[in-house]
Amino acid sequence: MTLQLTVPNMSCSVCASNITKALQAVDANASIQADPATKLVSVQTQASETAIKEALAAAGYPVA
């Protein structure tokens, strides 16, 4: 499943890296693209959308 999520708190490459690490903790095989310029995170994953959103919120990057 592919998710397109808007993450308003992502403002730099460090944020994108933190988001990637948080999501890989949920699904180590996930394909993640985080773009601070557009504040979009694209995730190709087998994990549920709820699990992905919870991981982002726990890392300090709640989904809009």
Side-chain angles (χ1 to χ4, degrees), residues 18-60:
N18 290 340
I19 286 169
T20 299
K21 288 177 188 169
L23 296 181
Q24 285 177 333
V26 175
D27 180 357
N29 297 320
S31 173
I32 303 156
Q33 292 182 324
D35 185 352
T38 62
K39 308 218 182 277
L40 288 177
V41 177
S42 178
V43 186
Q44 178 86 28
T45 182
Q46 297 302 314
S48 70
E49 183 172 352
T50 301
I52 294 297
K53 288 181 176 180
E54 286 175 354
L56 287 170

